[in-house]
Amino acid sequence: MNSFVHKTVVVQLQAGDTDRFSVLAHLSYDAADPFAVTVVFSHDGRVLARWQLDREMLEDALRRPVGIGDVRMRPESRGMWRELRMEFLGDVRSDGGRHHAIVFAWAPALAAFLRETHELVAPGHEEVCVDDFLADILAGS
């Protein structure tokens, strides 16, 4: 049985107050890390950013605003077009500000991806092997 789900979707990166341009979002889910969804944003073959998101938070964001830290998400509608607005705050820049990005994704595409992850590991049935987790931590020290 396959323990991975991958999906690539076109998303819109907001530049300035209103302009948007298309980038790719490569979504991946590994049943061995059942709480996380990895998103790699790329454009013209270059990786722009990589984020690990909480799967449950991503699903909740399709229905209501979530997040108070470096990742904030909320649903938005423009007529019949349903989007997920994702705001990312990154590392501190040399001028003291923080890198900041706003990305808009088509909500039905994300919902379809999440349904595929639920086929691998149903919500509420996530398990983490604590022994393996501790071994990884100790090996890194």
Side-chain angles (χ1 to χ4, degrees), residues 54-68 71-77 82-87 107 110-111 114:
D54 178 273
R55 179 174 75 155
E56 183 177 1
M57 181 180 172
L58 185 58
E59 186 160 14
D60 288 346
L62 294 172
R63 293 183 300 281
R64 62 178 175 81
V66 298
I68 57 172
V71 178
R72 300 172 189 152
M73 298 181 276
R74 70 174 187 243
E76 289 195 0
S77 294
R82 294 181 309 145
E83 295 179 311
L84 178 64
R85 180 185 193 272
M86 298 179 281
E87 183 174 2
L110 295 178
L114 289 169

Side-chain angles (χ1 to χ4, degrees), residues 5 13 27 51 73 82 104 126 129 137:
V5 176
L13 176 63
L27 306 164
W51 286 85
M73 298 181 276
R82 294 181 309 145
F104 294 88
E126 300 92 347
C129 181
I137 290 175

Side-chain angles (χ1 to χ4, degrees), residues 6-79:
H6 298 282
K7 185 177 200 85
T8 299
V9 296
V10 176
V11 298
Q12 300 292 309
L13 176 63
Q14 184 170 311
D17 291 334
T18 58
D19 294 335
R20 294 182 182 187
F21 66 94
S22 297
V23 298
L24 296 177
H26 308 278
L27 306 164
S28 61
Y29 178 79
D30 182 350
D33 189 4
F35 295 101
V37 170
T38 301
V39 184
V40 177
F41 297 100
S42 68
H43 181 69
D44 286 340
R46 291 184 45 229
V47 172
L48 303 174
R50 175 189 160 104
W51 286 85
Q52 272 204 310
L53 305 175
D54 178 273
R55 179 174 75 155
E56 183 177 1
M57 181 180 172
L58 185 58
E59 186 160 14
D60 288 346
L62 294 172
R63 293 183 300 281
R64 62 178 175 81
V66 298
I68 57 172
D70 293 342
V71 178
R72 300 172 189 152
M73 298 181 276
R74 70 174 187 243
E76 289 195 0
S77 294
R78 294 172 183 237

Side-chain angles (χ1 to χ4, degrees), residues 109-124:
L110 295 178
F113 169 79
L114 289 169
R115 281 192 300 276
E116 288 184 51
T117 71
H118 295 164
E119 291 175 11
L120 290 181
V121 180

